[in-house]
């Protein structure tokens, strides 16, 4: 039987696990079963960590990465190997910070943090687990692991899409920053187009997320489609929303989807699946820029539009908004824009 280089009953927190496993990395990596045990132990402790939300979670992840590299460096004898490890850390920081759009991982942020940080004491409320605990928990979770993994992949796909979006925005800001020399006064005055004689049945409803009440309003609006449902959306990874589109198609509704080309093959994306399983036609942009619209036109009588991506992360995690209205001029404008994009792509 393969044995860990530390007692299987030892209650370890993340920092202790990292130190012990790095100190005996040659033993762990030489045996695939030991490697799987150590990895499962580490991952389950990650799952037990308390989430604080927002940038604090990113900063905590950076601290953990620093500890991983520090523990690895401490287990090395050669200064040359330590220098290689330091360079690898910079490369990994750039990879995560730039490609996933997490600023906290960029080297300049990490170096600044390292200068400010003092040696931390062990955290009293850090979760601790032994390998025996991990094995028992894994056994309990076996029945639900497939569903849970699918949900997590979908949720992570939404977050990954947003981070790719942030990374692209950062690149564009660097490219166009020097061109932003216009003066606001040069653009003249705002000239609104006033609405006249609106009938009593006209509505304009703002809803905000995260909120399941808001999602109820959103999904029931989609379900009301009887003839046409034209969707123009950057990211579609929420399975409940995708199911509403599939059911509309089965009712004989003309459903069409326009989406961003980078999202087509993204993990958890429902666009291709809806096309293959339900025959829903779709089109993608083919440019470097995002197809960043997020709206739907229902029966040419109602529009849903706003910041809300049709993803699990937007539904449960982000602060988003949707405006639902049946004002004729607004509906017509969005319908015309959908048709223009459909012809263009």
């Amino acid at each position: 039987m393969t044995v860990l280089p530390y007692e299987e009953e030892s209650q370890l927190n993340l920092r202790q696990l990292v130190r012990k496993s790095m100190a005996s990395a040659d033993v762990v990596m030489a045996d695939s079963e030991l490697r799987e045990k150590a990895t499962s132990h580490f991952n389950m402790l990650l799952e037990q960590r308390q989430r604080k939300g927002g940038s604090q979670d990113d900063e905590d992840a950076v601290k953990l990465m620093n500890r991983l590299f520090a523990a690895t460096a401490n287990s090395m004898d050669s200064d040359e190997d330590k220098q290689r490890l330091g360079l690898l850390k910079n490369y990994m920081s750039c990879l995560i910070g730039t490609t996933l759009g997490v600023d906290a991982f960029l080297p300049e942020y990490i170096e600044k943090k390292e200068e400010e940080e003092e040696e931390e004491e062990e955290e009293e409320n850090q979760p601790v687990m032994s390998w025996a605990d991990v094995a028992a928990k894994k056994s309990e979770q076996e029945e639900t692991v497939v569903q849970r993994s699918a949900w997590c992949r979908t949720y992570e796909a939404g977050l990954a899409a947003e981070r790719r979006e942030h990374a692209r925005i950062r690149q564009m800001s660097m490219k166009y920053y020097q061109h932003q020399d216009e003066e606001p006064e040069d653009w003249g005055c705002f000239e609104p187009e006033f609405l006249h004689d609106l009938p009593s049945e006209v509505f304009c409803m703002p809803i905000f997320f995260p909120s399941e009440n808001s999602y109820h309003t959103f999904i029931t609006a989609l379900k009301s489609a009887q003839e046409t449902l034209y969707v123009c959306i950057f990211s579609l990874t929420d399975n409940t929303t995708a199911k509403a589109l599939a059911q509309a198609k089965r009712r004989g509704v003309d459903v069409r989807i326009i989406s961003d080309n980078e999202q087509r093959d993204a993990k958890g994306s429902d666009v291709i699946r809806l096309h293959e399983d339900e025959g829903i036609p779709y089109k993608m942009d083919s440019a470097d820029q995002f197809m960043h619209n997020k709206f739907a036109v229902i029966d040419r009588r109602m529009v849903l539009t706003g910041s809300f991506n049709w993803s699990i992360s937007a539904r449960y995690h982000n602060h988003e908004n949707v405006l639902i209205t049946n004002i004729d001029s607004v509906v017509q404008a969005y319908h015309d824009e959908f048709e223009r994009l459909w012809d263009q792509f």
Side-chain angles (χ1 to χ4, degrees):
M1 179 181 175
T2 307
V3 180
L4 287 166
Y6 45 87
E7 293 295 328
E8 294 199 359
E9 299 293 337
S10 299
Q11 295 288 324
L12 305 176
N13 62 28
L14 265 172
R15 182 180 296 188
Q16 293 164 341
L17 174 64
V18 167
R19 287 174 179 168
K20 287 182 177 293
S21 58
M22 288 300 178
S24 52
D26 54 337
V27 177
V28 173
M29 294 303 294
D31 188 293
S32 60
E33 186 178 342
L34 279 181
R35 190 165 63 245
E36 192 277 333
K37 282 186 174 183
T39 303
S40 296
H41 199 166
F42 182 82
N43 193 55
M44 200 155 289
L45 280 169
L46 282 180
E47 291 178 349
Q48 299 297 316
R49 281 165 66 90
Q50 183 178 1
R51 303 289 181 180
K52 300 172 185 175
S55 61
Q56 186 60 53
D57 283 343
D58 293 341
E59 291 181 10
D60 288 346
V62 170
K63 290 179 183 177
L64 180 57
M65 186 185 77
N66 288 337
R67 290 171 189 164
L68 285 169
F69 277 93
T72 305
N74 289 336
S75 67
M76 292 178 168
D77 296 325
S78 165
D79 288 340
E80 188 176 344
D81 285 342
K82 291 180 181 180
Q83 289 171 350
R84 289 194 182 100
L85 184 69
L87 182 59
L88 176 62
K89 178 184 175 183
N90 278 352
Y91 288 163
M92 290 300 298
S93 300
C94 289
L95 178 65
I96 297 171
T98 301
T99 61
L100 298 183
V102 187
D103 286 346
F105 276 86
L106 292 173
E108 56 265 33
Y109 287 87
I110 290 180
E111 290 169 8
K112 182 179 179 183
K113 272 289 181 188
E114 287 176 341
E115 290 173 3
E116 295 172 353
E117 282 180 5
E118 297 180 358
E119 186 65 28
E120 297 179 6
E121 298 180 0
E122 291 289 340
E123 299 160 13
E124 294 181 3
N125 59 350
Q126 258 199 9
V128 295
M129 299 184 81
S130 67
W131 165 246
D133 295 333
V134 173
K137 199 168 185 65
K138 284 181 67 176
S139 178
E140 293 172 4
Q141 292 176 343
E142 282 180 356
E143 294 182 2
T144 59
V145 70
V146 174
Q147 290 181 333
R148 180 179 177 278
S149 297
W151 192 94
C152 287
R153 284 195 298 271
T154 303
Y155 181 74
E156 290 164 1
L159 291 178
E162 291 166 10
R163 285 175 166 165
R164 285 195 299 272
E165 179 182 356
H166 294 163
R168 177 72 67 82
I169 290 170
R170 185 189 299 109
Q171 292 172 348
M172 290 180 65
S173 68
M174 295 173 64
K175 179 178 179 181
Y176 293 110
Y177 179 76
Q178 64 267 31
H179 302 300
Q180 297 295 301
D181 57 357
E182 304 101 329
E183 292 294 333
E185 291 79 4
D186 297 340
W187 292 88
C189 299
F190 173 58
E191 298 178 359
E193 295 181 9
F194 294 100
L195 302 172
H196 301 286
D197 303 323
L198 292 178
S200 59
E201 63 269 18
V202 169
F203 58 82
C204 186
M205 302 167 55
I207 57 176
F208 301 94
F209 295 83
S211 162
E212 284 300 271
N213 287 336
S214 292
Y215 185 76
H216 175 267
T217 303
F218 166 82
I219 198 70
T220 52
L222 286 184
K223 287 169 56 182
S224 72
Q226 298 176 357
E227 297 178 1
T228 59
L229 177 49
Y230 296 160
V231 176
C232 196
I233 191 70
F234 174 70
S235 175
L236 173 55
T237 60
D238 181 76
N239 291 340
T240 305
T241 306
K243 190 179 296 184
L245 301 186
Q247 291 172 347
K249 176 68 175 178
R250 293 170 198 165
R251 294 197 306 271
V253 176
D254 176 20
V255 181
R256 290 191 260 167
I257 301 173
I258 297 174
S259 190
D260 183 73
N261 60 334
E262 289 193 9
Q263 300 304 306
R264 175 179 51 204
D265 301 319
K267 186 168 61 175
S269 176
D270 289 309
V271 175
I272 300 299
R273 181 177 64 81
L274 287 170
H275 173 69
E276 293 176 347
D277 294 351
E278 306 294 340
I280 294 177
Y282 72 93
K283 288 194 175 183
M284 303 275 182
D285 71 314
S286 57
D288 290 337
Q289 295 80 16
F290 289 127
M291 199 307 297
H292 210 235
N293 283 303
K294 305 169 185 72
F295 69 83
V297 184
I298 300 172
D299 294 337
R300 209 165 177 175
R301 61 176 173 81
M302 178 166 55
V303 165
L304 292 75
T305 186
S307 69
F308 183 69
N309 268 314
W310 296 7
S311 65
I312 288 180
S313 57
R315 176 178 170 185
Y316 292 108
H317 181 72
N318 298 348
H319 295 287
E320 308 278 3
N321 70 83
V322 171
L323 189 72
I324 306 175
T325 184
N326 64 348
I327 298 173
D328 285 341
S329 59
V330 177
V331 174
Q332 187 62 47
Y334 276 92
H335 175 84
D336 292 346
E337 179 62 7
F338 182 91
E339 294 288 8
R340 186 187 72 80
L341 292 174
W342 187 265
D343 292 341
Q344 177 181 331
F345 298 150

